[in-house]
Amino acid sequence: MMYTYLLNLLDSESDSDFVDEEIAYTTIFRRKLPKSDYLKKRKTHGEFVLQKELSEEKYKNYYRVTRAQFAEIHGFIKEDIEAEGCNASKPIGTEEKLAVFLRYIASGNCFKSMGYSYRMSDRTVSNIVNEVAGAIWKRMQPLCMPQGTAEHWTSIAHGFEERWQFPHCIGAIDGKHALIKKPSLSGSSFFNYKKIFSIVLMAIVDYKFITIDVGSMGRFSDGNIFGSSVLAKKLKNNTLNIPPASLIPIIDDPMPYVFVGDEAFPLCENLMRPYPKRSVMDNYENKVLNYRLSRARQTVECSFGILASRFRVFRSPFECKLDSVVKV
């Protein structure tokens, strides 16, 4: 009855006030759809409520963090994900938002599947993932930054020498392709040599992630991405506080501290790559160096493997927009 009345009101040729027409349009086209009974039970039957029954071991397996770590992360980002100005009768709390995000990166489920579990719409899950990822990077990234001192790099080099017998190594560098769905109007910009669409996460690790560069198009090689990265500029300008070259046993000339990478990276003073295959066929010393370098460089491969194993979102194509993928 109301719908018919409003349509007749709009079609009438009377000198009705423009405000009445605006109210009619608002009533017809902007009225909210009634909330389903399924979504209304989020506070009592949603997955966030049911996970409280999990044991500590299952909780860690479910979210990939312990309850203590969950509380620590929540304390850092709580102010950035507050539901200010929300008029809903049952707003989504900050702990529930963090739980949705952690479960998303731990499981790699799609937003619609997450919405069914947590009794939310898929758009709500998407907004939560984007919001929480940005808050975590903003608040926690400064806390995880390396000290940037010569002593810091020296301690890393000591670990590589002790574990992999590669002296003066201060990190292993490589790139990982994160699968994405083809962005609209992007052509082949994100189409890589593996015949998939991706963006590149480039990282330097010593089993911990020391520094990352993320967001480059998948069609670029690791060498091209490195050449245009902030890290390459800092290496060139000597602003990383890397210790000066020093002596190591048996060798008389001072040796610089280096990052190690594969054949895709350029050879420079603080970045070492293996000898090409033609140089190791009949040269035992070159073959030994390549072997030791490969052992040291496997730390970055293992770190990417641990990352994808712990957070399964890296094993399937991201559904988010590119900006959200970079944040995640």
Side-chain angles (χ1 to χ4, degrees):
M1 294 290 291
M2 177 61 71
Y3 184 79
T4 305
Y5 166 75
L6 290 172
L7 286 178
N8 292 334
L9 177 66
L10 293 176
D11 292 337
S12 64
E13 297 180 358
S14 61
D15 296 328
S16 59
D17 196 324
F18 176 76
V19 176
D20 294 335
E21 294 186 7
E22 184 177 2
I23 293 174
Y25 272 118
T26 303
T27 305
I28 295 175
F29 299 109
R30 294 187 181 179
R31 65 188 183 90
K32 291 184 177 180
L33 295 175
K35 196 172 183 180
S36 68
D37 292 336
Y38 183 82
L39 297 180
K40 289 179 181 179
K41 296 180 180 179
R42 174 174 57 83
K43 288 288 186 179
T44 56
H45 293 72
E47 198 162 322
F48 177 67
V49 179
L50 301 180
Q51 56 83 25
K52 295 179 180 180
E53 302 174 4
L54 297 175
S55 65
E56 186 63 34
E57 181 181 357
K58 293 185 181 297
Y59 186 94
K60 183 177 180 180
N61 180 261
Y62 187 77
Y63 284 125
R64 299 299 195 264
V65 295
T66 63
R67 282 187 167 91
Q69 291 170 336
F70 185 100
E72 183 180 5
I73 298 170
H74 179 256
F76 282 123
I77 68 171
K78 181 180 179 180
E79 295 179 359
D80 294 317
I81 59 176
E82 290 279 6
E84 296 181 358
C86 183
N87 296 321
S89 58
K90 296 181 180 180
I92 300 173
T94 54
E95 288 188 348
E96 189 169 3
K97 287 183 177 181
L98 178 58
V100 169
F101 172 75
L102 290 177
R103 183 56 187 165
Y104 166 70
I105 62 174
S107 66
N109 291 339
C110 65
F111 291 152
K112 190 171 289 294
S113 175
M114 294 286 300
Y116 286 134
S117 299
Y118 283 86
R119 297 186 181 240
M120 305 173 182
S121 68
D122 52 345
R123 176 57 63 87
T124 300
V125 175
S126 175
N127 291 338
I128 288 174
V129 168
N130 185 58
E131 180 185 13
V132 177
I136 289 178
W137 177 255
K138 173 185 174 182
R139 292 291 183 178
M140 300 192 70
Q141 177 252 344
L143 302 177
C144 301
M145 291 178 66
Q147 298 176 9
T149 62
E151 293 76 13
H152 172 76
W153 296 116
T154 304
S155 65
I156 294 177
H158 177 73
F160 269 94
E161 182 173 6
E162 187 178 58
R163 180 174 290 183
W164 306 117
Q165 294 78 54
F166 198 102
H168 283 205
C169 178
I170 54 177
I173 183 171
D174 200 7
K176 174 180 174 58
H177 288 271
L179 278 65
I180 61 173
K181 290 188 175 180
K182 180 181 180 300
S184 59
L185 305 178
S186 64
S188 60
S189 297
F190 295 89
F191 194 68
N192 63 28
Y193 70 98
K194 297 181 179 180
K195 312 300 181 183
I196 55 176
F197 293 92
S198 66
I199 64 171
V200 179
L201 165 65
M202 181 164 289
I204 293 178
V205 307
D206 66 335
Y207 280 118
K208 300 183 299 293
F209 283 79
I210 301 173
T211 181
I212 69 165
D213 182 285
V214 62
S216 299
M217 297 177 180
R219 68 187 178 94
F220 293 118
S221 68
D222 289 345
N224 288 335
I225 296 172
F226 173 79
S228 60
S229 67
V230 175
L231 176 67
K233 296 175 183 177
K234 287 181 176 292
L235 279 176
K236 185 177 180 181
N237 298 332
N238 295 321
T239 56
L240 282 177
N241 296 323
I242 296 175
S246 59
L247 295 174
I248 61 176
I250 304 177
I251 299 178
D252 297 330
D253 297 325
M255 299 298 295
Y257 286 81
V258 296
F259 300 106
V260 293
D262 59 19
E263 296 87 348
F265 292 93
L267 179 65
C268 55
E269 181 180 359
N270 296 114
L271 179 59
M272 184 175 290
R273 52 172 286 172
Y275 282 107
K277 291 182 179 180
R278 63 178 180 274
S279 300
V280 299
M281 297 298 294
D282 300 317
N283 191 312
Y284 179 75
E285 292 181 350
N286 291 357
K287 186 180 295 186
V288 170
L289 185 140
N290 275 12
Y291 171 71
R292 291 292 178 84
L293 189 146
S294 178
R295 280 175 42 153
R297 198 183 65 80
Q298 73 176 352
T299 55
V300 67
E301 303 286 358
C302 293
S303 297
F304 283 142
I306 294 170
L307 177 71
S309 179
R310 186 171 188 179
F311 300 114
R312 298 300 179 91
V313 71
F314 290 100
R315 291 192 171 185
S316 57
F318 282 88
E319 294 184 343
C320 328
K321 295 181 180 179
L322 286 178
D323 180 60
S324 296
V325 177
V326 171
K327 289 181 180 180
V328 173

